[in-house]
Each structure stands twice: as C-alpha cells, then as structure tokens.
Amino acid sequence: MAANSMSDPRRPNKVLRYKPPPSECNPALDDPTPDYMNLLGMIFSMCGLMLKLKWCAWVAVYCSFISFANSRSSEDTKQMMSSFMLSISAVVMSYLQNPQPMTPPW
Amino acid sequence: MKGFHTFCVVLLVFGSLSEAKFDDFEDEEDLVEYDDNDFAEFEDVMEDSVTQSPQRVITTEDDEEETTVELEGQDENQEEDFEDADTQDGDTESEPYDDEEFEGYEDKPDTSSSKNKDPITIVDVPAHLQNSWESYYLEILMVTGLLAYIMNYIIGKNKNSRLAQAWFNTHRELLESNFTLVGDDGTNKEATSTGKLNQENEHIYNLWCSGRVCCEGMLIQLRFLKRQDLLNVLARMMRPVSDQVQIKVTMNDEDMDTYVFAVGTRKALVRLQKEMQDLSEFCSDKPKSGSKYGLPDSLAILSEMGEVTEGMMDTKMVHFLTHYADKIESVHFSDQFSGPKIMQEEGQPLKLPDTKRTLLFTFNVPGSGNTYPKDMEALLPLMNMVIYSIDKAKKFRLNREGKQKADKNRARVEENFLKLTHVQRQEAAQSRREEKKRAEKERIMNEEDPEKQRRLEEAALRREQKKLEKKQMKMKQIKVKAM
C-alpha cells in the first residue's frame, strides 16, 4: 500500500471539477482593450456618419478589427458584429454621399 | 470734334513711341498704306498701336476648367494681325474709331524666353476632380492596412495555437502520471479528462488537473503574447516581452502549514508585494537577496519568517532555482492567499476576503517573444519543480516557535482589519437599526384603523422606554465596576 501510494500519486476519489474563476476579481486583471476599442469604434462611426468625415469611418473600421482581435471567447459575438456593421456602414455612407477620394489632412 | 482730334493725336504719339521699340519689325510697308479716307492715317496708326502689342492674352473662362492661352511670338502674329487688319480695313474704314472695340486686349511686356516655347500650357486638373484610380491612393492604403492586419491575425493565432499544442504534448505524460483528471472545462456531466486545453482567448489557454494527493487541483494558464493583434506586435518590437506560464496549485487545508513565502526576480517581487493582499500584510520587509542560500543574484526572497526560508531552501530547491533562474519569474507559497488587493469605492471591505492555501508559479518561456514550439521542452524540468514543491509543502511543518509566531501574525492582521473597519461596521449597524425603526413607523402610519394605530404606537413607545432603561442600568453597572 505504501509502495503504491509512493509510486502513484493519483487519487481518483479526490477529483474536483473545474470551476471558472468568479468574474468579480477578474475585471481588475482583465485586459480592458476590447471594451475601449469597441467604444472608440462606435464613437468614430457616429462621427463619420454625422460629420461626413471619411477618415473617422476608416478609423472606426480599424477599431472594431482591433477589438475583435483582443476579445475574450466568452464575449458576445453580437456586440462584435454590431460594431463591425456600424463601422462598415459608416464607411459606405461617407462614400455614397461624397464619392471623391479622401484628402489627407496635411 | 475737337476732342476727337486731340484723342487721335495722343494715339499717334503713343503709336510712334511703341513703334520705336520694335525696330526689327518687318512689315513696315503695310503701315504706309493710306486710303482716301480722311481718317486713314489714324486708322493705320490705331491698328499699329493695337497690332504692335507683342502678346495677346485671351482668357476664356469655362465652368470647370481654367485654361490660359497665351499668344506669343510677335512676328508671326503681327503678320497675321496685319492681314487681319487689312481685311478689317475694308470693313471699318467707313466707321469712326470705337473706344470699346479693343477692350479685351491687354498689353503685356514681351519676354525673350517665351519666343521659342510651345505656346499652350495647360494647368493640371486638381486631384479631386480626376476620375482615375491613382487619386484614391489613401483608400488603397487603408484597405492594404486592413488586409495586413487580417493576415497578421491569422498567422498570430496559428502560431499561438501551435505553441500551446507543443507545450501540452511535451507535458502530457508528466501530468497524466500525476493527476487523474487532465483537462476539464466544467461543462461535462461526468468528470472525464478532455485531454486538451481550454482556449479562453486567442492568446490564453487553460488546463485544469485534479485527482492527486495533497492538492485539490492545479490550474495551468498559458499566457502567450498577443500575436494576433498587429498593434501589439509593433509595440513588442520596441519592448520585448516573454510568453508566460502561470501555475496555481490549490492545496488541501491539512496538507500545508501556515506560512507565506515568495522567491523570484527582484522586480517581480516588488510588484507582487504591492499588489498581493497576503504578501503586503505578512511580508513587510523588502525582498532580500537570495545569495545567502546559494541562489544567483538575480533572485530575491520575501518571507514571513526566517525559519520558513530555511525550511524551503533545501538542496533540491536551490538546484532547481539556480539552474532555471532565467525562466523563473516568481514562486509564491501562501496559506493566506486571496488574490490581489481589492480596491473598493466605499473604503475597506466589511469582512476579510476568503483565503486558500495556494502555491503559485510564474515561468517565462525562453525566447523573449521569438518562441518556437521546440522551446516548450525547456519548461518540462520546471513542471518537475512544481510537483516537487507540492510534495515538499506537505512535508514541511513549522516547529512550535514558528507556529506561535505565525498564529500571532495572523491574529494581528485580523485585529488590524477589525479596527479599521470598526467605524464602518458601527455605521452599518446604526443604519440597519434606523431602517427597522422607519419600517415600523411606516407600518403604523399605514394602519387604517385608528384604534390599532394607537395601540401600535403605544407598543413602540413602551419598547423604546425599556431599551432606555436597560442602557441606564448598564451604565450604572459599569460605573460601579470602575469604582
């Protein structure tokens, strides 16, 4: 028995199931990048749509891509998709209203 | 009539002056033509003065384009002009001179360089009015940037996945020989090993192992770099960072004694001491150098008491720490582990956070960012160190003195905490009592029957009086005792 316990440390009767860590302690540790990028993306899309600024719309597209790349798998895909769609619609609308190419600010 | 004559004289003078400029003028014989007309000479002169202008600038304005056509090369033009003038002669000889006839013509000084140039220069159309692809260069740039981002996302994701798989393949055997359950995501009904990692993110992979002596379970977290995010990749070019493997072993209460201990790089320990609740409370001294125990200079030690350090730093542990010092970020053993300090808005939390006996290990993957799957094999000895530490934590017991010290420390910490929160707890109790009173008053007010109301009010009053009496009694007793 002693030899057995020395050679095999496994104890099938002491198995505990995995519990995902509670979310209250996590927000401090969690990376806030996807949330910030999501918010920025929405703000830029609205600016691009309202003020008809093409560069705002393009920045919004970039922001939503970055947010998607940094997102956690537990996060809602609906949120991601909605920010994507909003930014792409901002780009499309700016070009429909004014098909001229974008002018650099310098 | 007289005025007209003076005007003609002025013109004549002007014409002669301008004629003086152009000596190489060839068609002078044309000038000498006179008609029978009274004003013939003046007409010629007038034509002279007009045609001797070296250049004529005709500006036509279109809606969209502005083209400037300059007529240069006075010789050819003058010839033409004179021909025109001749034909015009016939037409206009009977008419009086008209001031406004030549309004559109402007005199401009001739520049010799312009004599041999191509007469027409067309100004460029502004970019935003063109209809070619080249004018959309910014858009093409943006789309290219997006495509680059997507490419990097796919490549980064795949690399992280390959690294995780390589790590698991290397460590699978060791884990399976030590734990019954290797790999669990908590969703299955039965506790069977999934035999694979949980992907939390594109750069974080988890593995839960359980079913061993001494410990409840072990959670391994592979925290890779964000290779899927191009911004992160570019930021890492400035500041190289390593992939990390974090291991958290939760011990059974009976299998670990009461102590707090940490060893690791100085920078990591300083950060942990600030962030972690237990390290900041129990290990108040600065991290000490580990050279006293045979460790390299890069490693430092944080300990609750010297006895713990002595006990922990046995030969095998020192051997592990020395050989793999470059891969070790921190090793933290604690019976009071409750995670990082929680910052709450309303000041201190009202009760102590739950603690668990834990062993924490943080290892850096070699390569400093440029990691390859084969580098994962270098981490296998570190896993051996983890297993050894689990067994050691079970075996290591403090002696009587150590235990007393440890118990005193824990009692001290708890007392401090209670003192800090005493005011808050009092306030909380006070507010609870007030809440109760208010609820009762509400009840009395809402009572429709006036009789019942009166009775309830009397009951409340009696209760108040009783409480007051009780308090007075207590005060009297304390006074007697004091005396």
Side-chain angles (χ1 to χ4, degrees), chain B residues 101-312:
Chain B
E101 191 172 347
F102 304 105
E103 256 185 351
Y105 297 106
E106 292 171 69
D107 287 343
K108 260 194 181 173
D110 183 26
T111 51
S112 51
S113 61
S114 59
K115 275 187 201 173
N116 302 320
K117 257 208 292 187
D118 193 352
I120 296 173
T121 46
I122 298 171
V123 178
D124 283 335
V125 176
H128 66 279
L129 298 167
Q130 289 173 10
N131 269 331
S132 69
W133 285 110
E134 291 162 358
S135 55
Y136 287 90
Y137 69 95
L138 270 173
E139 279 78 7
I140 292 169
L141 250 163
M142 289 288 189
V143 172
T144 317
L146 274 177
L147 284 173
Y149 194 90
I150 294 170
M151 289 294 297
N152 178 72
Y153 175 81
I154 295 170
I155 294 171
K157 190 170 89 128
N158 284 339
K159 175 138 195 206
N160 277 348
S161 170
R162 272 183 295 131
L163 285 173
Q165 208 48 49
W167 181 92
F168 189 51
N169 292 338
T170 322
H171 290 73
R172 182 196 283 264
E173 211 180 300
L174 177 63
L175 291 172
E176 281 178 352
S177 66
N178 273 293
F179 293 92
T180 321
L181 177 72
V182 174
D184 183 24
D185 54 7
T187 54
N188 293 345
K189 276 203 195 135
E190 295 161 11
T192 46
S193 298
T194 57
K196 56 184 167 93
L197 301 158
N198 292 344
Q199 186 174 359
E200 198 180 292
N201 225 328
E202 304 298 343
H203 62 285
I204 298 181
Y205 292 82
N206 286 341
L207 183 72
W208 172 253
C209 305
S210 184
R212 191 187 194 275
V213 294
C214 322
C215 62
E216 286 179 5
M218 175 164 83
L219 179 66
I220 304 171
Q221 202 175 56
L222 303 174
R223 299 183 77 94
F224 292 128
L225 303 168
K226 284 189 187 173
R227 292 187 175 83
Q228 77 275 12
D229 181 18
L230 187 60
L231 283 184
N232 210 285
V233 169
L234 295 171
R236 267 189 299 117
M237 285 183 187
M238 315 287 168
R239 198 170 51 99
V241 187
S242 290
D243 299 297
Q244 278 190 341
V245 177
Q246 285 181 354
I247 301 173
K248 182 171 165 183
V249 182
T250 324
M251 300 290 285
N252 294 327
D253 284 344
E254 64 273 13
D255 288 324
M256 183 172 164
D257 212 347
T258 54
Y259 51 86
V260 176
F261 172 77
V263 65
T265 60
R266 199 169 283 270
K267 208 168 139 189
L269 285 187
V270 165
R271 189 178 40 90
L272 281 176
Q273 197 174 27
K274 261 191 274 188
E275 283 176 14
M276 292 295 168
Q277 179 89 12
D278 54 348
L279 282 176
S280 61
E281 280 172 1
F282 292 95
C283 307
S284 43
D285 300 331
K286 277 213 288 250
K288 288 193 206 100
S289 169
S291 46
K292 196 169 123 188
Y293 299 95
L295 297 177
D297 281 333
S298 57
L299 296 177
I301 299 175
L302 262 180
S303 174
E304 192 183 346
M305 48 190 131
E307 192 201 327
V308 175
T309 322
E310 298 283 334
M312 277 292 136

Side-chain angles (χ1 to χ4, degrees), chain A residues 1-11, chain B residues 177-178 212-213 391 395:
Chain A
M1 194 65 182
N4 196 16
S5 68
M6 281 302 286
S7 57
D8 189 4
R10 290 178 289 180
R11 297 287 178 272
Chain B
S177 66
N178 273 293
R212 191 187 194 275
V213 294
D391 291 327
K395 280 186 269 181

